[in-house]
Each structure stands twice: as C-alpha cells, then as structure tokens.
Amino acid sequence: KAHIEVQRLFFQVLDQGILKDSRQQIIDMSKCIIIATTNAGGDELSKPTVGFGVNAPLATKALDILNKTGMFDHALLSRFSMITGYNPIDRETYIDILDDTYHRLFDTLDPEQQTMLPDDLPDTARALLAQRYTREQGARTALRAVEGWMADTLIDVEDQNI
C-alpha cells in the first residue's frame, strides 16, 4: 500500500541492487536482505474460500490477492524471491502474548515499581485485556493494552499510598 514513489525505490533496489539518494549518491544494496510486510489484501485473505484453490498454500493465495488488488506493480511483486503468508493468531495465542508482554515489561521496571505489581498478570486483568483481541489486529494491541493496565495499576497503588 506504499506510495508509488516508494514502490519505485523498492523496484530500483531489487532490480539494480543500488539506491540513489536525493544528492545522487549511490548506496550499494546488493548484499542486503529486504523484508517487506503488508496487510494489503488481509481482509480478502481471511475470508473463507470455496471451490478451486481452497487447499492452495497461504503464500500462493496471498500473492494472487496482492496481484488482484492493484496496490502493487506486478513487476515489483515478481522481484520478490519468497512470499510468506501468516495465519491470524487465535485468542489463546493472544493471551499467551499478553502474559509474555507483561513479564517482559515487568522486568524493565525498577525494583520499587515491581513491588507494586504482581509477579504474574492476574486472571481478572488477563480476561479484561483479552477483550481487546480481534482477529484482524492480531497481537498488535497486546503491548498497548498491557502497558496501559500496568500504568493504571501503578497510578492506583501510588494514589492509595498518598
């Protein structure tokens, strides 16, 4: 879904292995590994399929959808050596991500703040935060949800101590 000028830059890098900046300096990109991601066509990809192509690999379906959307130049898409499609995460996986995110953030707190929070994400908080799960967003909302809950909890504890 990038602007056509950005797509042209990608095309130049993938086709020639170089990139010219605004001062016409050449940047050698021939040894780079480029990982490009998009959620273009994600809505279409998540729809159930019927008929031919039902058992096609996800990457094949993704490439077909990207070609059909018209958001990307066909010549640009043909330059990618590998397309990988990812299945959406389910609610249980999202809850696991919430727990992992909590522990990762908890470990970054100073010791005084750690004493104000439980060692593990409480079941009530987990259930509340799990309500933010949507199939379309996947894990994107987990970090913000956990950060918000932790900040609110720390503020509540500090207010009680005043």
Short mmCIF file of all heavy atoms in Angstrom, two decimals, residues 6 15 25 36 38 44 67 84 86 104 110 112 124 140-141 160:
data_model
loop_
_atom_site.label_atom_id
_atom_site.label_comp_id
_atom_site.label_asym_id
_atom_site.label_seq_id
_atom_site.Cartn_x
_atom_site.Cartn_y
_atom_site.Cartn_z
N VAL A 6 7.63 5.17 -3.47
CA VAL A 6 8.31 4.23 -2.59
C VAL A 6 8.43 2.87 -3.30
O VAL A 6 9.48 2.22 -3.23
CB VAL A 6 7.57 4.09 -1.25
CG1 VAL A 6 8.19 3.01 -0.39
CG2 VAL A 6 7.54 5.42 -0.51
N ASP A 15 15.88 -4.48 -8.51
CA ASP A 15 16.28 -4.72 -9.89
C ASP A 15 17.77 -4.47 -10.12
O ASP A 15 18.45 -5.25 -10.79
CB ASP A 15 15.45 -3.83 -10.81
CG ASP A 15 15.49 -4.28 -12.25
OD1 ASP A 15 15.40 -5.50 -12.49
OD2 ASP A 15 15.62 -3.42 -13.15
N GLN A 25 23.91 10.28 -4.68
CA GLN A 25 24.92 9.36 -4.17
C GLN A 25 24.37 7.95 -4.28
O GLN A 25 23.19 7.72 -4.01
CB GLN A 25 25.27 9.69 -2.72
CG GLN A 25 25.98 11.01 -2.55
CD GLN A 25 26.30 11.31 -1.09
OE1 GLN A 25 25.68 10.78 -0.19
NE2 GLN A 25 27.27 12.17 -0.88
N ALA A 36 9.90 -7.14 3.43
CA ALA A 36 8.79 -6.20 3.23
C ALA A 36 7.51 -6.87 3.73
O ALA A 36 7.26 -8.03 3.44
CB ALA A 36 8.66 -5.85 1.75
N THR A 38 3.18 -6.39 4.49
CA THR A 38 1.97 -5.65 4.15
C THR A 38 0.77 -6.37 4.72
O THR A 38 0.78 -7.58 4.89
CB THR A 38 1.80 -5.48 2.63
OG1 THR A 38 0.65 -4.66 2.38
CG2 THR A 38 1.61 -6.81 1.92
N GLU A 44 -9.38 -9.84 2.46
CA GLU A 44 -9.72 -10.84 1.45
C GLU A 44 -9.17 -12.21 1.83
O GLU A 44 -9.81 -13.23 1.66
CB GLU A 44 -9.18 -10.40 0.09
CG GLU A 44 -9.66 -11.20 -1.07
CD GLU A 44 -11.14 -11.02 -1.37
OE1 GLU A 44 -11.67 -9.94 -1.10
OE2 GLU A 44 -11.74 -11.98 -1.88
N ASN A 67 -1.78 -9.41 -6.33
CA ASN A 67 -1.85 -9.10 -7.76
C ASN A 67 -3.20 -8.51 -8.13
O ASN A 67 -3.28 -7.60 -8.95
CB ASN A 67 -1.57 -10.34 -8.60
CG ASN A 67 -0.08 -10.58 -8.79
OD1 ASN A 67 0.66 -9.66 -9.06
ND2 ASN A 67 0.34 -11.82 -8.61
N THR A 84 5.66 -15.14 2.02
CA THR A 84 5.21 -15.97 3.13
C THR A 84 3.92 -15.41 3.67
O THR A 84 3.86 -14.22 4.02
CB THR A 84 6.27 -16.01 4.26
OG1 THR A 84 7.49 -16.48 3.71
CG2 THR A 84 5.84 -16.90 5.40
N TYR A 86 1.00 -15.47 6.61
CA TYR A 86 0.87 -15.84 8.02
C TYR A 86 -0.60 -15.97 8.39
O TYR A 86 -1.41 -15.13 8.02
CB TYR A 86 1.52 -14.78 8.92
CG TYR A 86 3.01 -14.74 8.76
CD1 TYR A 86 3.61 -13.85 7.89
CD2 TYR A 86 3.82 -15.62 9.45
CE1 TYR A 86 4.98 -13.82 7.72
CE2 TYR A 86 5.20 -15.60 9.29
CZ TYR A 86 5.77 -14.69 8.43
OH TYR A 86 7.11 -14.67 8.27
N ARG A 104 7.89 -9.31 30.17
CA ARG A 104 8.97 -8.54 29.55
C ARG A 104 8.96 -7.11 30.08
O ARG A 104 10.01 -6.57 30.44
CB ARG A 104 8.80 -8.56 28.03
CG ARG A 104 9.98 -8.01 27.28
CD ARG A 104 9.91 -8.29 25.78
NE ARG A 104 8.59 -8.38 25.21
CZ ARG A 104 7.89 -7.34 24.75
NH1 ARG A 104 8.37 -6.13 24.81
NH2 ARG A 104 6.69 -7.51 24.22
N ASP A 110 11.77 -0.60 37.65
CA ASP A 110 12.72 -0.56 38.76
C ASP A 110 12.15 -1.40 39.91
O ASP A 110 10.94 -1.65 39.96
CB ASP A 110 13.04 0.87 39.19
CG ASP A 110 11.85 1.63 39.73
OD1 ASP A 110 11.22 1.15 40.69
OD2 ASP A 110 11.55 2.73 39.21
N GLU A 112 11.34 -0.94 42.96
CA GLU A 112 10.23 -0.37 43.75
C GLU A 112 8.90 -0.54 43.02
O GLU A 112 7.89 -0.89 43.63
CB GLU A 112 10.50 1.11 44.03
CG GLU A 112 9.43 1.75 44.91
CD GLU A 112 9.68 3.24 45.14
OE1 GLU A 112 10.83 3.69 44.99
OE2 GLU A 112 8.70 3.93 45.44
N THR A 124 -8.01 -11.71 36.36
CA THR A 124 -9.01 -10.67 36.05
C THR A 124 -8.47 -9.70 35.00
O THR A 124 -9.19 -9.31 34.08
CB THR A 124 -9.41 -9.90 37.32
OG1 THR A 124 -8.22 -9.41 37.96
CG2 THR A 124 -10.19 -10.76 38.28
N ARG A 140 -1.19 -6.92 17.64
CA ARG A 140 -0.83 -5.50 17.63
C ARG A 140 -1.30 -4.75 18.87
O ARG A 140 -0.65 -3.82 19.30
CB ARG A 140 -1.39 -4.82 16.39
CG ARG A 140 -0.72 -5.26 15.12
CD ARG A 140 -1.24 -4.46 13.93
NE ARG A 140 -0.83 -5.10 12.70
CZ ARG A 140 -1.63 -5.81 11.93
NH1 ARG A 140 -2.88 -5.99 12.25
NH2 ARG A 140 -1.17 -6.36 10.83
N THR A 141 -2.44 -5.12 19.42
CA THR A 141 -3.00 -4.38 20.55
C THR A 141 -2.44 -4.83 21.89
O THR A 141 -2.66 -4.16 22.90
CB THR A 141 -4.53 -4.53 20.58
OG1 THR A 141 -4.86 -5.92 20.70
CG2 THR A 141 -5.17 -3.98 19.32
N GLN A 160 -3.12 5.30 46.44
CA GLN A 160 -3.51 4.72 47.71
C GLN A 160 -2.45 4.99 48.80
O GLN A 160 -2.77 5.07 49.98
CB GLN A 160 -3.72 3.21 47.58
CG GLN A 160 -4.94 2.85 46.75
CD GLN A 160 -5.01 1.36 46.47
OE1 GLN A 160 -4.19 0.58 46.94
NE2 GLN A 160 -6.01 0.97 45.68
#
